[in-house]
Amino acid sequence: MGNLTRSFSDWEFACRGKCSEICRSLRMSPEFMAKLQELRDKIKKPITVTSGIRCESYNATIAGAAKRSWHIPRNGMVCAADIRTTRLNEDVLRLYAAADQIGFKGIGLYAGRIHVDMRPTQRVRWVDRSWSWS
């Protein structure tokens, strides 16, 4: 399937902004992609990328997105993605637990998806107010 790893293609992570030249030059971190492939191998299910690379302009259009989101490139590379297997709470929680076991540095729990990143700072976990435990 993929050209970034055996399971992931660059088009899955492409910025959805309208900046064309800027957006097309942005890339995913190879270290992050190796970790994401490890997660895919662990859960033995396809992973859907709901958001990957974001240029600053596109990121600014997303309600609730951090101004210094890890989806925005640093040194030309991005080390974050929002992902899911399905939108079911139990599947989102399984994916969250597997991502934690593999060692992603940042993991956020959202309705229907999780955020994972390989930030160079300390380990961070959060639950968005969109998440429902019911």
Side-chain angles (χ1 to χ4, degrees):
M1 170 191 181
N3 61 342
L4 294 177
T5 71
R6 71 181 169 280
S7 300
F8 296 102
S9 296
D10 57 357
W11 60 266
E12 295 177 271
F13 298 89
C15 182
R16 295 179 180 124
K18 306 290 186 223
C19 309
S20 64
E21 292 304 315
I22 295 170
C23 294
R24 280 193 286 253
S25 69
L26 305 176
R27 300 285 176 252
M28 294 301 295
S29 156
E31 295 81 13
F32 175 81
M33 292 308 305
K35 187 69 76 176
L36 196 59
Q37 183 63 52
E38 184 180 350
L39 177 61
R40 167 66 178 84
D41 295 344
K42 180 177 182 58
I43 64 169
K44 297 180 174 73
K45 289 184 179 182
I47 290 175
T48 300
V49 178
T50 62
S51 184
I53 297 170
R54 298 179 192 162
C55 65
E56 288 186 43
S57 298
Y58 178 62
N59 191 67
T61 69
I62 299 173
K67 286 186 180 190
R68 292 291 299 147
S69 169
W70 291 101
H71 290 270
I72 298 171
R74 285 155 171 85
N75 300 321
M77 294 285 172
V78 174
C79 65
D82 295 345
I83 60 172
R84 69 170 182 248
T85 53
T86 74
R87 292 179 187 262
L88 297 173
N89 279 2
E90 62 192 39
D91 290 337
V92 173
L93 287 171
R94 280 191 198 105
L95 189 59
Y96 182 101
D100 186 56
Q101 291 170 352
I102 285 177
F104 280 93
K105 293 289 281 288
I107 305 176
L109 183 60
Y110 294 83
R113 64 183 168 84
I114 67 169
H115 166 96
V116 290
D117 67 55
M118 288 305 297
R119 63 186 67 203
T121 62
Q122 67 186 26
R123 181 178 178 267
V124 179
R125 302 293 185 262
W126 67 93
V127 177
D128 185 74
R129 64 186 123 200
S130 68
W131 174 259
S132 172
W133 293 100
S134 56

